[in-house]
Amino acid sequence: MKKEKIVIIGGGFGGLNAAKSLKKTGAEITLIDKTNHHLFQPLLYQVAAAALSPGDIATPIRGVLRKRKNIKVIMEKVISIDRKNKKVILKDDEIEFDYLIVAVGSRHSYFGNDQWENFAPGLKTISDALKIREKMLYAFEKAEVAKTDAEIDKYLTFVIVGGGPTGVELAGAIAEISKKTMRKDFRRIDPSKTKIILVEGENRILTTYDNSLSKAAEESLKQMGVNVLLNRKVTEINSEGVQIGDEFINATNVFWAAGNQASPLLKSLNTEQDRAGRIIVDNDCSIKDDANIFIIGDAANFKNGGGKTLPGIAPVAIQQGKYVADIINKNINKEDRKPFKYFDKGTMATIGRAKAVLQIGKFKASGFFAWLTWVFVHIMYLIGFRNRYMVMSEWVWHYINMKNGIRLITNKQNN
Ligand SMILES: Cc1cc2nc3c(=O)[nH]c(=O)nc-3n(C[C@H](O)[C@H](O)[C@H](O)COP(=O)(O)OP(=O)(O)OC[C@H]3O[C@@H](n4cnc5c(N)ncnc54)[C@H](O)[C@@H]3O)c2cc1C
């Protein structure tokens, strides 16, 4: 009898959880990812801020699935999906499928100004984080040998565009490293005078959180020396700095945390997409007219009961991965499938050492308790004992003596 073929594209939160939950031992399962690792994106900003090493938050996919003998892992970029012939197209190969799970995540979007990426890197991958880390550390080195005060000022001005969780976390982490960790490391410049500006287009940061938590986060950032600009839109970014309304800010360090765009691969599915390029899926995560093609996680626009699109966060991807695996395990026909139901375990963002905000349904908290919960949850969700141990020990070390350990510049050409 012909073996059933299940293909998963993406080894992120959605794809990896789908793979781990597939129980069909008789099926031929292939997981394809363009990288060789699963990345724990929620802690990426800590790699960018020199607090963690890339290896602490990334795990080889092959290693995670080594005991699953019927799962083949391929490191390749999927170029397109041929729905008609049920094939996934790679550069030099094609892979047939009976079931397809697409979990390709998203990239940052510059809202039609792609040239800004040259001056304002975003944060999605390990190489993005390393680029930001090098740019940030290199700026302090350049400032130390700069000839004029204006030059020093330009190197020691950091602008972060976007006041969502990533922008808030990055701004807090840069404030900590400059104003505390590196305060005494230089002879000429004073890193504690670093200007950190967080720009948000809306009238508050963390807009998906309750108003009171936005205020608490803003207050914490201000206490850490971050200048929060609200209701301000960035209209230009170049090598000299950022134009924000009528004001031009001279800065060599501009980081982008403002928007998301789904993978261009999704276009080849030829089905309805939203403005961010996500596929609009049915309530079983499958696409229109193709009950055995599922789109999950950041790549999907899934409308829950109230008609609201589920947010692009890890728990949504994880739960959808497990849900579609269950449908495939049991060969459930489209008409018999129970709709996917998202169980909201809450959201949280950290602002710096011992400060965070947390929202679980109607329960809200900020400060030390929220931060402890944040620490606990992130350690729990990291993959592998080694990574949990390494991250925990780095955090304890950092908590005690405020030293970020990974302050290395290894690739000067990036700057
Ligand atoms: C900086 C940052 C901070 C975040 N913080 C939080 C947080 O605190 N809490 C939270 O819940 N969520 C957070 N998120 C969001 C969360 O990480 C995403 O929602 C989650 O990763 C989505 O999972 P996914 O499986 O859809 O995609 P991903 O985890 O992004 O995985 C997609 C995978 O697909 C692969 N891929 C993409 N295109 C192709 C292709 N053409 N061929 C082959 N492989 C491909 C990629 O290499 C990747 O491994 C954060 C995200 C970022 C970027």
Side-chain angles (χ1 to χ4, degrees):
M1 207 176 94
K2 204 174 151 250
K3 274 193 175 177
E4 210 169 32
K5 292 186 169 75
I6 305 167
V7 174
I8 303 167
I9 314 175
F13 284 100
L16 198 60
N17 276 282
K20 289 203 284 189
S21 308
L22 281 169
K23 301 267 164 19
K24 282 188 168 172
T25 45
E28 203 178 287
I29 306 170
T30 310
L31 187 149
I32 312 165
D33 198 296
K34 60 185 177 184
T35 73
N36 77 334
H37 53 267
H38 167 81
L39 177 61
F40 194 84
Q41 287 172 356
L43 291 180
L44 207 46
Y45 81 94
Q46 296 221 347
V47 174
L52 292 175
S53 280
D56 297 341
I57 64 160
T59 319
I61 297 170
R62 213 170 269 296
V64 180
L65 298 172
R66 72 179 179 283
K67 289 191 180 146
R68 306 294 301 270
K69 300 289 179 214
N70 63 330
I71 304 184
K72 195 160 93 182
V73 177
I74 295 179
M75 185 188 146
E76 271 281 0
K77 183 172 178 176
V78 174
I79 291 165
S80 69
I81 298 163
D82 178 353
R83 256 174 85 177
K84 194 161 153 257
N85 297 302
K86 295 190 169 200
K87 278 179 190 165
V88 161
I89 316 295
L90 310 177
K91 191 164 158 262
D92 298 312
D93 205 356
E94 297 177 351
I95 299 174
E96 289 177 1
F97 64 83
D98 299 303
Y99 285 106
L100 177 67
I101 301 172
V102 183
V104 287
S106 59
R107 275 294 289 170
H108 26 257
S109 148
Y110 289 82
F111 308 121
N113 299 289
D114 290 352
Q115 71 282 8
W116 291 356
E117 186 164 16
N118 298 324
F119 314 107
L123 186 59
K124 274 280 172 192
T125 63
I126 290 278
S127 59
D128 292 339
L130 292 178
K131 208 184 272 176
I132 291 178
R133 183 178 90 183
E134 304 243 319
K135 207 171 157 66
M136 173 185 77
L137 296 174
Y138 196 54
F140 288 99
E141 299 300 334
K142 291 288 277 182
E144 179 75 351
V145 294
K147 298 272 185 295
T148 63
D149 285 352
E151 246 188 297
I152 294 178
D153 232 34
K154 193 170 141 188
Y155 285 120
L156 293 189
T157 301
F158 289 74
V159 181
I160 296 116
V161 187
T166 301
V168 165
E169 291 178 336
L170 200 54
I174 294 173
E176 247 170 22
I177 193 172
S178 55
K179 293 179 188 289
K180 292 193 174 139
T181 311
M182 297 205 296
R183 202 162 44 96
K184 294 182 182 156
D185 287 6
F186 293 85
R187 298 294 163 262
R188 194 159 159 247
I189 57 160
D190 177 359
S192 70
K193 301 239 164 74
T194 304
K195 281 190 205 137
I196 301 146
I197 301 161
L198 179 66
V199 191
E200 167 57 49
E202 301 289 325
N203 61 3
R204 63 188 179 106
I205 55 170
L206 299 179
T207 50
T208 54
Y209 288 69
D210 186 82
N211 220 342
S212 61
L213 295 179
S214 297
K215 281 267 164 303
E218 190 183 332
E219 202 41 53
S220 296
L221 282 173
K222 282 182 179 161
Q223 280 167 15
M224 294 165 79
V226 177
N227 186 3
V228 180
L229 301 181
L230 300 174
N231 293 310
R232 305 285 286 275
K233 293 242 173 354
V234 167
T235 48
E236 173 64 8
I237 305 176
N238 57 39
S239 60
E240 297 303 307
V242 194
Q243 185 76 42
I244 305 169
D246 297 337
E247 189 184 0
F248 189 81
I249 299 175
N250 280 301
T252 45
N253 309 287
V254 185
F255 302 128
W256 185 260
N260 277 327
Q261 185 69 30
S263 162
L265 170 70
L266 299 172
K267 253 204 176 88
S268 62
L269 282 165
N270 247 327
T271 187
E272 203 182 344
Q273 290 174 274
D274 67 10
R275 278 177 55 200
R278 294 174 296 188
I279 300 287
I280 298 173
V281 292
D282 286 347
N283 65 11
D284 62 345
C285 298
S286 72
I287 61 174
K288 235 177 231 144
D289 305 324
D290 236 324
N292 292 345
I293 297 183
F294 302 93
I295 319 293
I296 60 172
D298 284 8
N301 177 330
F302 184 98
K303 293 206 165 41
N304 68 11
K308 230 175 137 192
T309 296
L310 289 180
I313 52 173
V316 172
I318 293 170
Q319 290 177 34
Q320 288 182 333
K322 291 177 179 170
Y323 166 86
V324 298
D326 190 54
I327 289 178
I328 298 172
N329 286 334
K330 297 176 181 155
N331 285 330
I332 306 174
N333 290 325
K334 173 116 182 153
E335 51 280 10
D336 298 326
R337 294 174 188 168
K338 283 197 185 127
F340 169 73
K341 264 210 165 77
Y342 173 57
F343 175 57
D344 184 1
K345 294 180 184 166
T347 45
M348 51 191 117
T350 171
I351 302 135
R353 182 172 168 267
K355 289 192 194 87
V357 290
L358 156 73
Q359 185 169 327
I360 308 171
K362 288 202 168 115
F363 176 76
K364 293 166 282 189
S366 60
F368 187 67
F369 169 76
W371 180 75
L372 268 189
T373 314
W374 178 90
V375 166
F376 177 72
V377 167
H378 283 73
I379 292 289
M380 276 230 325
Y381 275 90
L382 268 170
I383 291 185
F385 176 75
R386 181 208 165 267
N387 287 8
R388 288 192 195 118
Y389 173 77
M390 295 302 287
V391 170
M392 197 65 218
S393 34
E394 285 284 358
W395 284 350
V396 170
W397 175 250
H398 177 66
Y399 187 83
I400 295 168
N401 71 9
M402 285 306 303
K403 291 249 185 314
N404 285 23
I406 335 289
R407 302 202 305 274
L408 302 177
I409 298 173
T410 54
N411 183 10
K412 229 172 116 184
Q413 283 158 359
N414 267 344
N415 299 285

